[in-house]
Amino acid sequence: QVQLVESGGGVVQAGGSLRLSCTASGRALSSYIMAWFRQTPGKERDFVAAITRSSSNTRYGDSVQGRFTISRDNAKNTVLLQMNTLKPEDTAVYYCATNDGVLLSTRQAAYDYWGQGTQVTVSS
């Protein structure tokens, strides 16, 4: 079992930045590919970013490419999402998730453990 807790969400003006953190307990995050997804009311969760166990590769959703950066610190059992140049359409609940596979999947079904989410609101 892995317990994931996201933090760092909040309210920010368009053009601003936030950094989200996801901290794990129960098992080492180094065992997993890690990803961030986001969800708005009435919609499915959308893929945001993923990172391999060793941080050698990353993958981003088209809408965040060039603005968001995913990173991890396995020693601290933490995954980060640096979000820059935020837009109102980035407003969502952001979730981190684990994947014990080998591919940087964009599909929700590939991910096993999920956090409770942290709200990000970008005002115009």
Side-chain angles (χ1 to χ4, degrees):
Q1 285 275 350
V2 178
Q3 292 79 42
L4 302 173
V5 178
E6 301 95 338
S7 62
V11 180
V12 63
Q13 287 190 332
S17 300
L18 280 175
R19 189 176 76 166
L20 304 184
S21 296
C22 171
T23 301
S25 60
R27 192 171 178 185
L29 276 189
S30 57
S31 301
Y32 302 100
I33 286 170
M34 295 299 299
W36 289 91
F37 285 76
R38 66 187 183 186
Q39 187 173 27
T40 54
K43 294 187 177 182
E44 293 187 356
R45 289 182 187 179
D46 288 333
F47 172 77
V48 174
I51 188 168
T52 54
R53 292 168 178 79
S54 65
S55 302
S56 58
N57 284 307
T58 57
R59 184 175 185 180
Y60 295 92
D62 290 342
S63 62
V64 307
Q65 181 76 48
R67 299 187 297 123
F68 290 11
T69 303
I70 188 171
S71 62
R72 66 192 298 163
D73 185 339
N74 288 337
K76 295 182 179 180
N77 240 21
T78 298
V79 177
L80 302 175
L81 185 68
Q82 178 67 43
M83 306 186 296
N84 298 329
T85 319
L86 282 161
K87 305 175 181 179
E89 51 264 43
D90 294 318
T91 296
V93 178
Y94 284 71
Y95 300 89
C96 64
T98 65
N99 174 357
D100 63 2
V102 297
L103 299 176
L104 293 176
S105 176
T106 64
R107 298 183 305 110
Q108 286 188 66
Y111 293 83
D112 307 300
Y113 295 103
W114 295 80
Q116 293 300 306
T118 185
Q119 175 71 47
V120 171
T121 302
V122 184
S123 61
S124 57

